[in-house]
Amino acid sequence: MFYRNKKNKSGVISVQVIDKSSGSYKVVKTMGSSADANEIQRLQDQAQQWIKDRTGKLELDFSGEVETAIQLLDGIEQLSVQGTELLLGKLFKEIGFDQIKDELFRKLVIARLCHPTSKLGTTDYLHKYHYLNVDVQAVYRYLDKLYLKQKDLIQNISYEHTRKILDNKISILFYDVTTLYFEIDNEDELRKTGFSKDGKHQHPQIVLGLLVSVDGYPLAYEIFEGNKFEGHTMLPVIEAFKKKYQLDNLVIIADSGLLSNDNVSELQEKGYSFILGARIKNEKKDIQARILQLKLDNGESQLIQKDEHTKLLINYSLSRAKKDHSNREKGLKKLEKQIRTGKLTKANINNRGYNKYLKLEGSIEVSIDKIKFESDSKWDGLKGYLTNTSLSKNEIIENYGHLWKIEKAFKVSKTDLKIRPIYHYKSTRIAAHICIAFVAYKIYKELERQLKAKHAELSPEKAINIAKTIYNITLVTPTTKDKISKTLILTEEQKKLMALFEL
């Protein structure tokens, strides 16, 4: 048994004798209540004597420890998330982003990795979990400053760090674009309707071009008007990057969506080597015939000289053939269903997607051209690459295969970092929002790289989730009123993460 002091709603202190022999706390006697310190001390002495009388022996005095513990717990001032600051803050500094002296920049970036939401939601998160009072208007003012004064420095920091971890070898660049739509009705100078990769063609949007290195480390980005043709975005971004960092002998890798005669000609005129996804079905008839004559087995590839400067590498994959066939079957069934329900009309006859299999019978009836559908099967499993490099067939395919890492960058940005929805309407703040997401993704990639280098069986997402469970406690001692802070490392996975990154 022991005694405790219990503070009542009225402010007086009750001195109670507690028994825990049955496993649960039970009040066996209340000695009395008082707000006077001398009287409380007398009740405590009385409680101690009462316990000795009932037990019939001298007990070790643990009651003081319990009371002290209770007083310490009553002195807790705050309990804040600390793990994400330790882990992501360390990476933030190692990359060099601490050159940006605004502490708000660091807070916004780490919050984007841990709790991606609106700027108002971010200030609420910082208050609830980090005891930081940040005015949302201060955030908006900082975004204006970020856009005007810090974007170039941020990209320089990212570039220099990537150059360092790649042993000064930045010679292969991967470029791709995505679209970010806004749930608004009216367009402005930046947000315009256009071809949406999210299928939101009715919504105003922006086009985001991203340049990454080998292994998917972000190097540069640019924002374009929502109605900008993606093929017209590539050269401006690459040229600016090349000029800024005085780079030569670059190999550009991009998918077929960026393949245009103008882009190919300009890449060659400016001395770039390139590997581009080819649209082999759109090649001239003689090139198509040569491709179909190859009769490749699974995994085989063959080069075809297209002209004096470029060649096509054609690869055949059995798994790709099965996927192509399956997709065509799904597209056919969808068309058949739409015809049965009367949803297809003359206006739907075009070359977009599987609509190319439609034809007009008589003057009004839409039907499916089965001959064209069957004829397309000859292309199943074939993939083309247009290049002017001297790389081997395997090197061409391997390098192009890294494009999935830029697709992953867009996926992570749209899902984990929630780059959209974007709640800003000023173009400067939209650009600053993208900049915050760019930095957050750079830190995400560095976390991924270090986890791999440390042979840790953790994904970046898992590591961040563990870090979110690590708290810091701050309390005030009851007598001396000293403040004490301690990071609470309680579970095995928390201990492993801390040891892994020497936090």
Side-chain angles (χ1 to χ4, degrees), residues 389-490:
T389 68
S390 58
L391 297 173
S392 69
K393 294 185 290 186
N394 288 338
E395 287 173 328
I396 291 170
I397 294 172
E398 181 182 355
N399 278 295
Y400 187 87
H402 287 296
L403 262 179
W404 71 267
K405 292 177 180 177
I406 198 169
E407 293 170 359
K408 180 185 177 182
F410 288 138
K411 182 180 179 182
V412 170
S413 297
K414 288 185 177 183
T415 55
D416 297 288
L417 302 182
K418 291 184 173 60
I419 196 171
R420 70 151 311 278
I422 301 174
Y423 297 97
H424 306 290
Y425 65 91
K426 291 179 63 175
S427 60
T428 54
R429 291 177 183 175
I430 292 170
H433 172 81
I434 302 297
C435 187
I436 296 282
F438 175 85
V439 176
Y441 185 68
K442 172 64 179 178
I443 294 174
Y444 175 97
K445 287 296 296 183
E446 178 60 9
L447 175 58
E448 181 183 68
R449 185 188 73 84
Q450 291 198 22
L451 287 169
K452 183 178 179 180
K454 297 173 187 294
H455 306 289
E457 296 181 358
L458 288 174
S459 66
E461 294 84 359
K462 178 65 175 176
I464 291 172
N465 284 335
I466 293 172
K468 287 179 183 179
T469 68
I470 297 175
Y471 283 78
N472 179 269
I473 186 172
T474 300
L475 57 81
V476 178
T477 58
T479 305
T480 63
K481 305 302 179 183
D482 292 327
K483 279 193 177 183
I484 300 174
S485 291
K486 181 177 176 58
T487 300
L488 304 177
I489 311 300
L490 306 175

Side-chain angles (χ1 to χ4, degrees), residues 273-481:
S273 297
F274 57 82
I275 302 172
L276 304 174
R279 298 171 178 169
I280 54 178
K281 295 180 186 178
N282 295 342
E283 291 290 342
K284 295 179 180 179
K285 295 296 182 183
D286 61 320
I287 298 292
Q288 289 189 34
R290 291 169 63 186
I291 292 172
L292 295 174
Q293 289 171 2
L294 292 176
K295 307 300 180 187
L296 300 171
D297 290 328
N298 183 41
E300 287 187 340
S301 304
Q302 186 64 51
L303 285 167
I304 294 176
Q305 195 69 36
K306 184 177 178 181
D307 54 40
E308 182 182 356
H309 303 290
T310 61
K311 53 196 173 185
L312 282 168
L313 175 64
I314 308 299
N315 172 263
Y316 176 79
S317 164
L318 183 59
S319 62
R320 188 188 301 122
K322 292 178 180 178
K323 183 179 179 180
D324 291 343
H325 176 78
S326 174
N327 288 340
R328 284 189 304 107
E329 289 287 344
K330 290 177 182 177
L332 179 64
K333 290 178 181 178
K334 184 177 180 180
L335 289 176
E336 289 174 338
K337 181 179 180 180
Q338 289 175 320
I339 288 176
R340 287 195 306 271
T341 57
K343 292 182 178 180
L344 293 180
T345 66
K346 182 179 178 180
N348 296 105
I349 299 178
N350 52 53
N351 286 322
R352 295 176 185 169
Y354 297 110
N355 283 8
K356 63 186 176 181
Y357 300 135
L358 298 174
K359 65 180 181 179
L360 194 64
E361 290 187 346
S363 59
I364 58 171
E365 187 177 349
V366 176
S367 64
I368 294 174
D369 189 337
K370 292 293 183 67
I371 296 176
K372 186 182 287 188
F373 174 80
E374 295 297 337
S375 176
D376 246 8
S377 64
K378 61 181 176 285
W379 297 101
D380 289 352
L382 293 174
K383 171 71 177 176
Y385 310 86
L386 179 69
T387 185
N388 64 346
T389 68
S390 58
L391 297 173
S392 69
K393 294 185 290 186
N394 288 338
E395 287 173 328
I396 291 170
I397 294 172
E398 181 182 355
N399 278 295
Y400 187 87
H402 287 296
L403 262 179
W404 71 267
K405 292 177 180 177
I406 198 169
E407 293 170 359
K408 180 185 177 182
F410 288 138
K411 182 180 179 182
V412 170
S413 297
K414 288 185 177 183
T415 55
D416 297 288
L417 302 182
K418 291 184 173 60
I419 196 171
R420 70 151 311 278
I422 301 174
Y423 297 97
H424 306 290
Y425 65 91
K426 291 179 63 175
S427 60
T428 54
R429 291 177 183 175
I430 292 170
H433 172 81
I434 302 297
C435 187
I436 296 282
F438 175 85
V439 176
Y441 185 68
K442 172 64 179 178
I443 294 174
Y444 175 97
K445 287 296 296 183
E446 178 60 9
L447 175 58
E448 181 183 68
R449 185 188 73 84
Q450 291 198 22
L451 287 169
K452 183 178 179 180
K454 297 173 187 294
H455 306 289
E457 296 181 358
L458 288 174
S459 66
E461 294 84 359
K462 178 65 175 176
I464 291 172
N465 284 335
I466 293 172
K468 287 179 183 179
T469 68
I470 297 175
Y471 283 78
N472 179 269
I473 186 172
T474 300
L475 57 81
V476 178
T477 58
T479 305
T480 63
K481 305 302 179 183

